[in-house]
Structure formats: structure tokens, C-alpha cells
Amino acid sequence: MNILSQNTAFGGMQGVFSHQSQATGTEMTFAVFVPPQAITEKRPVLWYLSGLTCSHANVMEKGEYRRLAAELGLIVVCPDTSPRGNDVPDELTNWKMGKGAGMYLNATEKPWAEHFQMYSYITEELPDLIAEQFRADMDRQGIFGHSMGGHGAMTIALKNPQRFKSCSAFAPIVNPLTADWTQDAFEKYLGADRTKWREYDACALVEDGARFPEFLIDQGKADSFLETGLAPWKFEEAVKGTDISLTLRMHERYDHSYYFISTFMDDHLKWHAARLG
């Protein structure tokens, strides 16, 4: 693991690191905030997955999570959103595909399958590295994210309920099978057989029997992607009649930006801290 930067913040440490990934076959960059309590004891781990076009840096620079994470004693891990590098395939004129748009899935189609193994990277390889390099309590993990990252957080939680104790999302893509900004990418990554898409779709996973105790979703009503890309009411409908508890909060005047995310970041950190102990 290479140290790219380390800075003291609120008594803790905000670091940016890189390592050679076996899953993606590329060098991957990620950020970790370590609270001051981790100097002497293992602390819970909270994963934040970013959205389309983002990297580890967006939430690190604009998410405003460090003050409360330090107070609550949460380690916050912010991975990149895709593999990167000169050998990684991309669509330069399509921001919904390729670099910055890994969709947190394992691609099966060429040329994407060689490097776009983000599900394995997030759920297997990077957790092993975090457990090895940081004073992290891997028995207390939560996950949240924004937009594409909200999609990733929810699907990963639904598929790994034994690992994660909490999950929340800002403006998540809850139904990629129908969302206008994911269908093209899913077909290119996973092929034309839409039944294979279902394991990366929160609504479909619930319909197919996956369960997670509870979710918190915050959504801005002024979000320009609300109707065609996000539609959180579809997940609300999917969990009806199940034992899944959903807190869906719709906010007047808020859009899809980090102004929205930073406004409700404290609520999400407290939500996770209460469930992680």
C-alpha cells in the first residue's frame, strides 16, 4: 500500500492511498479517514461509495464527514468508482460508461470484464487490505453511497446481510433495469440477458428474496434525475409486504449535488453509528 497523502483533521487522519489490485488488474486509489479513537482501539468501518463521474476525492473534499466521524469514532473508507489507467477501456464521450462508471458490478462482457470487477474489489479485496492496514473492527461494518454509489451500497448490503449492520443512501439508483442512465452500461458490462442484471438491482434483489433489516434513503425533490433515473418510490413499493424497514425522506428544493449530501451527512453518520455500536 502506497501513501499518497496524510493530513490531520479533527484529531484523526485523512489519508489517500493506492495499491495494485488483483481484482481489477490496475492500480486503485482510495481514501480513509481514521478517527482519533483508532490510535488505541479497533473502530467500526463505514464504506462510502461515490456516484457516476466521481472518484474517492469528491466526498473527501465536499462531503463534510470528518468532524462527526471523529466524534463518533468511525473509520470512513472511500473507494474509487472504477479501475483507471491507459489500458482500461473507456467511452470518452459517454460519462455513464467506463472510467468513473464502474456500477459496482463484475463485468462479464469484453472488453470490460478484464478490469471492471468492482463488486469483487469492494466486497473482497479492499476489505482485506483495510483489515490488514488499519485498526478496523470488521465485525462492525456499514455502507452508504450516492446515486450510482447508493445503488452499489444497497445491492451490496442486500447480498451481504451477514457482513453489514447498516445501509443508507443519498439519491440512489434503486432500479437500474429501468433507469435511463444505467441500461446501456448494464448491457455492455453484463450482456443482453436482462435476468443477469437482477443481481445488481436493489428492487429486483428484494423481489427475488434478498433481505436486509432496514434502509435510510434521502432524496431531493428538485433532483433533475428523480423521475427517470432514481425513482425511490419503486424501492418503497418493492419492500411492501416484506420485513425490510425503509425510511424514505423526500426533501423540498434539494438537488443531486454535494450541497444536498453534505446537508444530511450528519444524519447518515448518526444512523450508522447507532447500529454499529
Side-chain angles (χ1 to χ4, degrees):
M1 187 178 76
N2 303 309
I3 300 172
L4 303 183
S5 67
Q6 287 183 312
N7 298 95
T8 300
F10 298 99
M13 182 275 296
Q14 177 65 68
V16 179
F17 309 92
S18 68
H19 72 116
Q20 189 63 34
S21 167
Q22 298 276 339
T24 68
T26 66
E27 186 174 59
M28 295 294 292
T29 301
F30 63 96
V32 182
F33 175 72
V34 180
Q37 297 91 331
I39 295 172
T40 58
E41 62 182 8
K42 289 186 175 183
R43 298 304 303 168
V45 179
L46 183 55
W47 297 82
Y48 179 90
L49 306 184
S50 292
L52 286 164
T53 75
C54 293
S55 70
H56 69 280
N58 297 73
V59 68
M60 189 181 75
E61 295 169 355
K62 298 183 286 188
E64 301 181 22
Y65 58 82
R66 278 176 288 270
R67 177 192 57 79
L68 190 57
E71 180 181 321
L72 297 172
L74 296 172
I75 295 173
V76 182
V77 181
C78 308
D80 202 349
T81 54
S82 77
R84 301 180 192 270
N86 294 334
D87 296 331
V88 174
D90 196 17
E91 293 187 0
L92 296 178
T93 60
N94 182 6
W95 58 274
K96 302 171 186 176
M97 187 71 199
K99 296 176 186 177
M103 297 293 174
Y104 302 103
L105 51 75
N106 284 344
T108 58
E109 303 299 300
K110 294 181 179 180
W112 312 101
E114 181 180 357
H115 297 295
F116 283 78
Q117 301 294 310
M118 288 300 294
Y119 179 81
S120 292
Y121 176 70
I122 297 294
T123 62
E124 298 172 17
E125 184 176 21
L126 190 54
D128 287 346
L129 186 63
I130 296 300
E132 176 186 315
Q133 297 288 339
F134 298 91
R135 197 168 280 116
D137 185 348
M138 303 306 282
D139 291 329
R140 292 188 289 167
Q141 295 186 66
I143 190 166
F144 68 148
H146 170 232
S147 194
M148 178 185 73
H151 138 74
M154 293 173 68
T155 56
I156 288 171
L158 283 163
K159 294 167 72 172
N160 299 274
Q162 74 289 347
R163 176 180 299 184
F164 296 99
K165 296 183 179 299
S166 57
C167 182
S168 69
F170 302 99
I173 306 171
V174 300
N175 193 199
L177 275 77
T178 62
D180 63 352
W181 54 2
T182 48
Q183 293 183 67
D184 179 60
F186 268 48
E187 182 166 350
K188 290 174 180 175
Y189 285 142
L190 300 173
D193 182 358
R194 294 171 68 93
T195 61
K196 296 179 180 178
W197 303 8
R198 296 182 68 83
E199 65 174 302
Y200 300 111
D201 182 299
C203 289
L205 283 167
V206 171
E207 291 168 2
D208 293 343
R211 294 293 181 265
F212 195 79
E214 56 183 339
F215 293 92
L216 167 65
I217 294 177
D218 276 313
Q219 173 66 61
K221 288 187 176 181
D223 191 321
S224 60
F225 303 108
L226 178 58
E227 295 292 334
T228 59
L230 304 172
W233 47 84
K234 292 185 178 180
F235 190 71
E236 187 175 37
E237 185 64 28
V239 301
K240 283 183 179 178
T242 74
D243 56 357
I244 297 173
S245 174
L246 171 63
T247 301
L248 172 59
R249 307 192 304 184
M250 303 293 295
H251 302 281
E252 299 286 350
R253 304 192 309 278
Y254 284 95
D255 57 19
H256 201 67
S257 71
Y258 268 89
Y259 296 109
F260 159 62
I261 295 168
S262 62
T263 299
F264 299 102
M265 179 62 76
D266 280 9
D267 289 355
H268 285 247
L269 294 176
K270 290 174 182 176
W271 165 277
H272 289 278
R275 287 151 182 81
L276 297 176

